[in-house]
Amino acid sequence: MRQAVIITGGAKRVGAAMATYFAHKNFDIALHYNNSKNEATALQKEIQKTGVACEIFSHDLSDSKGLSGLIEKIHAKMPHCNVLVNNASIFERCEFMETDEALFDRQFAINFKAPFFLTQAFAKKFGKNSGACVINILDTDIAQNQISHFAYLLSKKTLADFTKMAARALGSDIRVNGVCPGAMLPSGENHDGYEEKIKQLVPLKNQPSLDELSEAVFWLVQQRSITGQIINIDGGKHVL
């Protein structure tokens, strides 16, 4: 039977790139989105052209009570899913002294609480599937203590610790690993020339592509003896 992958935040940017990559590797795709219905529908049509199945699922991940229901809906249509990629995240600039409770809650709801309970629900529903695994998309900046996006980075650091703890808790049933991307796509916050400046700072003098990130995620899915590991795909930025 063909394998299948669940990708949260899969309609655009990094999520869309991973969905396309896995489709070309003959994986069926369970594509989650929140507000990006048009993008999700368009990507679904493109993925289906590759000959694999693609189903789209809408859910606001900040609604934690509905996360198990989301997994139930996916299971009903794609019971052969054996991979969960926790990719969806939000990214807000705010230093520590300006961070209010609402911003803190938004960052942790999407970036940590949703992956926590999605992983739990996935383990209950899909944990007996052969080779089941979870990949958490982190951020290379967890290696540093930058303060410009305080709550965001703290949520990703917490998710990194969860990755290792969940790997132990889920044992042989589900492998749990993480990938830390560098700056692969332009951000609305970045000034002109930012990407080139970062490229010149990192040891490899280059920023990885979306395909290279997707390849790393796919590689981890195939490695039956790797769990609790976090891989940086960042041109070496994490060692600066």
Side-chain angles (χ1 to χ4, degrees), residues 40-233:
T41 301
L43 182 58
Q44 179 187 35
K45 292 177 181 176
E46 288 302 311
I47 286 174
Q48 288 171 340
K49 291 177 183 178
T50 68
V52 303
C54 180
E55 299 285 349
I56 60 176
F57 302 87
S58 175
H59 187 73
D60 179 356
L61 296 184
S62 66
D63 172 19
S64 60
K65 291 182 174 58
L67 295 176
S68 60
L70 172 61
I71 293 297
E72 289 282 352
K73 290 176 183 177
I74 294 172
H75 185 267
K77 289 195 173 183
M78 290 188 164
H80 57 301
C81 282
N82 64 336
V83 182
L84 167 64
V85 179
N86 285 310
N87 166 70
S89 67
I90 58 172
F91 179 79
E92 294 179 87
R93 176 181 289 274
C94 198
E95 294 190 9
F96 173 63
M97 293 302 290
E98 286 70 49
T99 299
D100 59 21
E101 188 173 359
L103 185 146
F104 179 93
D105 286 346
R106 283 195 302 274
Q107 295 298 309
F108 269 79
I110 302 298
N111 299 341
F112 174 66
K113 190 174 182 179
F116 183 107
F117 286 105
L118 282 171
T119 299
Q120 185 185 79
F122 176 80
K124 291 176 179 178
K125 205 68 184 175
F126 294 100
K128 299 305 178 183
N129 283 8
S130 176
C133 67
V134 174
I135 309 291
N136 293 320
I137 305 302
L138 304 167
D139 189 311
T140 189
D141 286 341
I142 64 171
Q144 310 297 330
N145 290 308
Q146 298 184 21
I147 59 172
S148 60
H149 299 74
F150 200 97
Y152 162 80
L153 190 57
L154 184 60
S155 69
K156 289 294 189 177
K157 285 174 177 279
T158 307
L159 184 59
D161 282 342
F162 167 73
T163 299
K164 296 177 181 181
M165 292 179 69
R168 180 175 180 182
L170 294 173
S172 60
D173 289 336
I174 296 186
R175 294 177 294 108
V176 186
N177 293 292
V179 174
C180 292
M184 297 185 178
L185 289 168
S187 165
E189 294 184 356
N190 296 341
H191 54 77
D192 289 343
Y194 174 82
E195 284 78 15
E196 186 59 33
K197 179 181 179 181
I198 293 297
K199 184 187 295 186
Q200 294 307 314
L201 284 174
V202 300
L204 294 182
K205 305 300 181 188
N206 195 22
Q207 290 290 77
S209 67
L210 289 172
D211 273 352
E212 288 171 323
L213 171 63
S214 300
E215 183 180 9
V217 173
F218 183 78
W219 181 82
L220 279 172
V221 168
Q222 307 304 307
Q223 304 307 307
R224 299 295 182 92
S225 297
I226 295 179
T227 194
Q229 294 296 315
I230 293 173
I231 297 177
N232 291 277
I233 312 297

